[in-house]
């Protein structure tokens, strides 16, 4: 049985990525105009990011690969660095986009904390 911390970790990562994708799809027109690229080019990045983040999260939560959490921690660190650009994003694309981006990043931060809590670490050590 997976501990609650691991179940919440998995849910946080998936929710974060879903929010991120929906947010970008909803605001794709404004983003494409601001970045001067085509809408389809814009959508590649978020889907690739979601694939990597969810894949790493599942490697931790389902596969019990503790090394994957270090790679996911690096992804989360990059997200946290991205918080510095939120004011510029709010100006370029809009405040609603910025708010949902912050929510997605905070969910990833919560997932990062959850995957390093003692219950999660202990569960990962008990590899079946």
């Amino acid at each position: 049985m997976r501990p609650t911390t691991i179940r919440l970790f998995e849910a946080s990562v998936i929710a974060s990525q879903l929010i991120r994708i929906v947010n970008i799809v909803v605001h794709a027109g404004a983003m494409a105009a601001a970045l001067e690229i085509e809408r389809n080019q814009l959508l590649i990045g978020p889907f690739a990011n979601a694939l990597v983040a969810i894949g790493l999260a599942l490697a931790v939560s389902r596969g019990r690969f503790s090394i994957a959490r270090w790679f996911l921690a690096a992804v989360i660190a990059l997200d946290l660095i991205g918080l510095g650009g939120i004011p510029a994003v709010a100006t370029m694309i809009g405040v609603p986009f910025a708010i949902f981006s912050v929510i997605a990043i905070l969910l990833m931060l919560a997932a990062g904390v959850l995957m390093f809590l003692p219950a999660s670490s202990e569960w990962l050590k008990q590899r079946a």
Side-chain angles (χ1 to χ4, degrees), residues 32-120:
L35 299 172
E36 297 178 355
I37 61 173
E38 289 187 34
R39 186 176 188 273
N40 290 341
Q41 290 175 320
L42 176 75
L43 298 176
I44 294 170
F47 282 101
N49 185 58
L51 181 68
V52 169
I54 292 172
L56 287 170
L58 293 176
V60 172
S61 68
R62 303 293 172 133
R64 284 189 176 183
F65 294 109
S66 59
I67 189 73
R69 71 180 174 166
W70 293 104
F71 289 104
L72 189 57
V75 170
I76 294 167
L78 291 172
D79 270 353
L80 291 176
I81 291 169
L83 278 174
I86 291 295
V89 168
T91 302
M92 283 178 27
I93 300 166
V95 173
F97 179 82
I99 290 170
F100 282 104
S101 294
V102 169
I103 291 169
I105 292 170
L106 291 176
L107 281 170
M108 285 298 285
L109 178 60
V113 170
L114 288 164
M115 76 176 166
F116 284 103
L117 287 177
S120 298

